Amino acid sequence: MSSASLVKNLQSDIAQFREQSITGNKLDMAAEGPGQSALLIGLRAQFSRIESDMRSLQSFQSRADLKQQAMQSVEGSLTGVLTIAATGLDDLNETMRVSLQTAAKGALDELIAAFNVSDGQRFLFSGIATDRAPMQNFNQINPGTGFSPAQVIENAIAATPPVDAASATALLASIDQIFADTAAAGTNFEETFFNGAPTGSPPSQARISDQVIVDFGPEGNDQALRDIIKGLAVFASFDPAALADDAFPVLMKGAFDSLSSGLDGLRSGAARLGEQQRLAQSLEDRNGALKTILNERVVNLETVDPFETQVRLQALIGQLETSFTLTARIANLSLVNFIR
């Protein structure tokens, strides 16, 4: 190798080690040995997958928290309605009857508002139809059918007035059909009361890792929500003081049982979602630990030993200075100087 080439190579090596000394990072992974570059690429790909999973987990947890808050927010008012009703299903006094109707109307409005929650981009109780609010306001006409939920219940009452125990039982059966989607067209729950994805649609799910997909908790047309709205609708739609004495206990027991069953179902749904959240948290903790380990491995591969770098840099500088000295001495050599 010529002196000029040697000097050029030394200068290049010195520049490389000087930059490594400043940045702390290796400049040429291929020079570190066979497979080092491939190993680093693989680690970085794994690191990126973990970061993607963690973003999915955080999104799931955020939305699940909103759903949990919605369900918890209505529990107090629903329990309050049940408490009033339970004090005397067979014989509430007039004041208690009015209190029950008022509490049911308030709880119904609160439930509808709570279950129309969104994260700013999607409604969370609409199933896969996340672009529309799931719960129709009770007194607002649904443009799809021309009825409001309140009108559907009022029409059922008008068709089967509860004047005695038998007619009250028949009315409850017709209301059951509404909430089971087997009533006349336009009067069913999923036509007038609910605007989300209908029964039979794919379930709303969340991918929380490459291998794990979980159900995204209760939806607005689950049986629990149907039972709750049915019970509240019955409590809210009658003038309790005007009900016949033998019709009143039949209607009140039917509404009480429906609301009680629905509240139990809602709590079970919240518990199942909580289990999914605990699974997500476990994966998030695992990914956090794995991310730390991978980051340490990447850092170890990419970063240089500052002491080693300085030693090699000084050695190269010394070689370059020696090369310059020898070159200068050779340049000054001549036969005249030798024979003097």
Side-chain angles (χ1 to χ4, degrees), residues 84-242:
I84 297 173
T87 58
L89 285 175
D90 296 328
D91 187 25
L92 288 174
N93 61 47
E94 184 174 343
T95 300
M96 293 294 287
R97 290 186 181 191
V98 172
S99 295
L100 175 60
Q101 185 183 47
T102 301
K105 287 180 177 179
L108 193 53
D109 290 341
E110 186 178 332
L111 177 82
I112 291 168
F115 279 72
N116 279 339
V117 65
S118 78
D119 64 357
Q121 297 178 322
R122 53 205 152 190
F123 290 95
L124 303 182
F125 287 93
S126 295
I128 60 171
T130 58
D131 59 329
R132 51 186 186 264
M135 316 308 295
Q136 181 71 25
N137 289 335
F138 196 66
N139 294 297
Q140 186 177 69
I141 290 176
N142 188 317
T145 62
F147 297 110
S148 70
Q151 287 174 332
V152 170
I153 300 299
E154 290 167 3
N155 291 342
I157 295 171
T160 311
V163 296
D164 52 27
S167 57
T169 300
L171 173 59
L172 287 177
S174 70
I175 293 176
D176 285 344
Q177 290 180 330
I178 292 169
F179 286 89
D181 295 320
T182 58
T187 67
N188 290 299
F189 177 79
E190 288 192 352
E191 293 173 316
T192 297
F193 293 72
F194 180 72
N195 299 311
T199 299
S201 301
S204 178
Q205 296 180 319
R207 181 182 295 276
I208 57 177
S209 77
D210 282 344
Q211 297 82 25
V212 181
I213 298 176
V214 296
D215 289 334
F216 189 46
E219 298 176 3
N221 61 341
D222 285 354
Q223 189 60 49
L225 268 295
R226 294 172 188 256
D227 288 344
I228 289 171
I229 295 173
K230 179 170 63 177
L232 292 176
V234 172
F235 282 137
S237 298
F238 291 96
D239 177 2

Side-chain angles (χ1 to χ4, degrees), residues 5-19:
S5 296
L6 177 62
V7 168
K8 184 177 180 180
N9 288 339
L10 286 171
Q11 288 175 325
S12 176
D13 290 343
I14 289 171
Q16 177 177 321
F17 277 96
R18 181 178 287 118
E19 185 171 348

Side-chain angles (χ1 to χ4, degrees), residues 32-327:
E32 298 299 318
Q36 291 296 296
S37 293
L39 175 59
L40 181 61
I41 291 171
L43 290 174
R44 283 198 170 280
Q46 190 175 357
F47 192 88
S48 296
R49 286 195 298 272
I50 289 173
E51 286 192 319
S52 177
D53 283 350
M54 293 186 75
R55 286 191 294 270
S56 296
L57 285 164
Q58 290 164 3
S59 175
F60 168 77
Q61 292 286 41
S62 175
R63 289 182 290 149
D65 284 343
L66 286 174
K67 294 191 81 166
Q68 292 283 19
Q69 290 167 18
M71 290 183 281
Q72 292 170 7
S73 71
V74 300
E75 186 165 337
S77 60
L78 298 180
T79 302
V81 174
L82 285 173
T83 300
I84 297 173
T87 58
L89 285 175
D90 296 328
D91 187 25
L92 288 174
N93 61 47
E94 184 174 343
T95 300
M96 293 294 287
R97 290 186 181 191
V98 172
S99 295
L100 175 60
Q101 185 183 47
T102 301
K105 287 180 177 179
L108 193 53
D109 290 341
E110 186 178 332
L111 177 82
I112 291 168
F115 279 72
N116 279 339
V117 65
S118 78
D119 64 357
Q121 297 178 322
R122 53 205 152 190
F123 290 95
L124 303 182
F125 287 93
S126 295
I128 60 171
T130 58
D131 59 329
R132 51 186 186 264
M135 316 308 295
Q136 181 71 25
N137 289 335
F138 196 66
N139 294 297
Q140 186 177 69
I141 290 176
N142 188 317
T145 62
F147 297 110
S148 70
Q151 287 174 332
V152 170
I153 300 299
E154 290 167 3
N155 291 342
I157 295 171
T160 311
V163 296
D164 52 27
S167 57
T169 300
L171 173 59
L172 287 177
S174 70
I175 293 176
D176 285 344
Q177 290 180 330
I178 292 169
F179 286 89
D181 295 320
T182 58
T187 67
N188 290 299
F189 177 79
E190 288 192 352
E191 293 173 316
T192 297
F193 293 72
F194 180 72
N195 299 311
T199 299
S201 301
S204 178
Q205 296 180 319
R207 181 182 295 276
I208 57 177
S209 77
D210 282 344
Q211 297 82 25
V212 181
I213 298 176
V214 296
D215 289 334
F216 189 46
E219 298 176 3
N221 61 341
D222 285 354
Q223 189 60 49
L225 268 295
R226 294 172 188 256
D227 288 344
I228 289 171
I229 295 173
K230 179 170 63 177
L232 292 176
V234 172
F235 282 137
S237 298
F238 291 96
D239 177 2
L243 279 173
D245 288 343
D246 52 351
F248 176 81
V250 174
L251 289 173
M252 294 302 102
K253 185 177 186 308
F256 181 90
D257 290 347
S258 181
L259 179 56
S260 179
S261 173
L263 183 54
D264 287 343
L266 187 65
R267 288 168 175 161
S268 296
R272 289 193 299 273
L273 181 57
E275 292 173 1
Q276 307 287 37
Q277 288 180 280
R278 285 187 287 276
L279 172 61
Q281 185 60 57
S282 175
L283 289 173
E284 194 168 354
D285 293 343
R286 186 202 68 178
N287 284 345
L290 186 55
K291 183 179 175 182
T292 298
I293 294 171
L294 288 173
N295 187 61
E296 290 175 354
R297 293 189 65 187
V298 169
V299 169
N300 288 337
L301 283 172
E302 288 187 334
T303 58
V304 295
D305 182 334
F307 177 75
E308 180 184 350
T309 300
Q310 286 297 322
V311 169
R312 295 183 67 179
L313 180 59
Q314 292 303 318
L316 288 169
I317 291 173
Q319 291 179 45
L320 184 59
E321 289 175 343
T322 300
S323 178
F324 282 149
T325 300
L326 289 174
T327 300

